[in-house]
Amino acid sequence: MKIVFMGTPQAAVPSLERCLTDGHDVAAVYTKPDRPSGRGNKITFSPVKEFALARGLTVHQPVKIKTPEALNTFESHGADAAVVVAYGRILPPAFLIANKKGAINVHFSLLPKYRGAAPVNWAIVHGETETGVTTMQMDAGLDTGALLLQSTTNINSEETSIELMSRLSLIGADLLSQTLLRLDDIAAKPQDHAAATFAPIMKREDGLIDWQMSATQIANRLRGFQPFPSSFTYFQQQKLTIWKAVPLKENIYGRSLPGEMIEAHGDDFVIGCGDGSVLKIEEIQPEGKRRMPVRDFLNGAKPQKGSVFAM
């Protein structure tokens, strides 16, 4: 099959690679424009662009996609279908019908749950124990198109969004392979829109820890908000990013305030949370410093037992 591939992050690379491995003719690759990043503001290529160039594929990075010129270029490839995997831009309706087999999307959730930009993150934040990947025939709505195939997987109890996305990207590549192979025989199924949930773009303020939440809710947010916006709090006017923590099954420490340091010695950094629950922090990062085990942080900062994180 002749396809145009549209994707940007590392999570899209396995699907592009699988298209090539399966023998599809990738007429062109679309990815978001290059942008400066890092301390030196150096121009960096997206992972999809780097992979595509290494394979000698034609790459397009239109700054504006809702123009007649962009549509003409898109149509000129003469593809059978577009494959869209985390492209990061909303396609105009004309793009969705430009090819005879339309546009097929690989979405990292079990639609209609978690429509939107960050399905993997919000699934973890909300304490889901199961997720998956969906291939979908795209329409003009936000992840509202008819379902093609789905694949389900469990979410491990300590899995971060980075780790889960890495697994789902491989599952998605396999599912896309099956979808393209069977495309003419799959009976597309309309979504149950009444069952839809949403996964909006995350904002920096989402990462501020509310210590009145339960320890489990906070731990889920720590896992789900990686790498952005991360989960952070403040102590003595210093920002502290918490990367790893586990809720303790039993509170053997008695009553405490939300955000109170119940234990702060050695490897034990235990914080009181809402509903009488407690959270044990294992990895932390003071502002301007490296990520470190709590022992290193406690030895340096020496916070006192009974101190309270800012709310």
Side-chain angles (χ1 to χ4, degrees):
M1 186 182 300
K2 189 174 186 180
I3 65 171
V4 170
F5 188 91
M6 312 182 84
T8 298
Q10 179 60 39
V13 172
S15 288
L16 175 54
E17 184 173 21
R18 188 59 177 267
C19 287
L20 295 172
T21 301
D22 287 351
H24 296 294
D25 177 7
V26 180
V29 173
Y30 279 68
T31 190
K32 291 178 70 174
D34 303 331
R35 62 180 184 179
S37 66
R39 292 182 178 178
N41 277 331
K42 294 182 179 179
I43 297 297
T44 58
F45 294 169
S46 74
V48 163
K49 180 178 179 178
E50 288 188 346
F51 179 88
L53 292 177
R55 294 299 183 95
L57 301 175
T58 299
V59 175
H60 292 278
Q61 298 176 276
V63 175
K64 294 182 179 180
I65 201 167
K66 297 180 180 180
T67 66
E69 294 77 16
L71 179 59
N72 288 337
T73 301
F74 186 75
E75 292 176 329
S76 72
H77 303 302
D80 298 305
V83 171
V84 183
V85 188
Y87 180 39
R89 306 180 77 169
I90 296 175
L91 296 183
F95 274 64
L96 303 179
I97 59 174
N99 303 310
K100 59 185 177 182
K101 296 182 185 294
I104 299 156
N105 178 231
V106 177
H107 185 77
F108 298 110
S109 81
L110 296 174
L111 291 171
K113 295 187 72 172
Y114 297 107
R115 295 173 176 174
V120 175
N121 305 84
W122 289 108
I124 292 177
V125 169
H126 291 154
E128 301 283 0
T129 58
E130 182 181 82
T131 188
V133 181
T134 301
T135 51
M136 172 190 68
Q137 192 76 54
M138 295 179 71
D139 63 15
L142 177 63
D143 301 325
T144 56
L147 307 178
L148 297 171
L149 296 178
Q150 291 188 313
S151 181
T152 303
T153 187
N154 291 330
I155 300 176
N156 300 326
S157 61
E158 296 185 4
E159 199 166 24
T160 67
S161 54
I162 297 172
E163 295 163 340
L164 179 56
M165 178 59 86
S166 179
R167 284 204 302 116
L168 290 178
S169 69
L170 300 179
I171 295 172
D174 287 341
L175 195 67
L176 174 63
S177 177
Q178 297 176 43
T179 300
L180 295 180
L181 179 65
R182 299 166 46 197
L183 187 58
D184 292 336
D185 300 320
I186 298 172
K189 179 182 177 182
Q191 293 190 41
D192 178 3
H193 301 303
T197 60
F198 297 92
I201 294 174
M202 296 166 295
K203 305 180 294 295
R204 181 184 179 279
E205 53 266 31
D206 290 326
L208 180 62
I209 297 172
D210 179 357
W211 293 104
Q212 297 190 63
M213 290 184 172
S214 72
T216 296
Q217 289 175 314
I218 293 172
N220 288 342
R221 295 172 84 85
L222 262 61
R223 294 164 49 225
F225 287 154
Q226 295 191 29
F228 177 84
S230 71
S231 293
F232 55 91
T233 188
Y234 291 91
F235 180 62
Q236 295 179 345
Q237 299 182 326
Q238 181 186 36
K239 180 182 177 181
L240 299 173
T241 301
I242 301 175
W243 290 104
K244 187 176 181 181
V246 293
L248 300 183
K249 293 182 179 180
E250 291 186 62
N251 180 1
I252 62 173
Y253 300 95
R255 294 173 62 87
S256 62
L257 296 171
E260 181 180 348
M261 301 177 194
I262 304 171
E263 194 69 64
H265 178 73
D267 294 317
D268 295 324
F269 195 23
V270 181
I271 313 300
C273 304
D275 299 329
S277 59
V278 289
L279 185 74
K280 183 178 180 182
I281 299 175
E282 296 183 344
E283 188 174 354
I284 195 168
Q285 183 177 14
E287 189 168 16
K289 297 184 179 180
R290 62 176 177 84
R291 291 168 61 161
M292 61 185 69
V294 293
R295 175 180 286 271
D296 293 350
F297 170 73
L298 295 176
N299 286 342
K302 301 187 185 310
Q304 296 299 307
K305 179 178 177 179
S307 298
V308 180
F309 283 126
M311 297 293 289

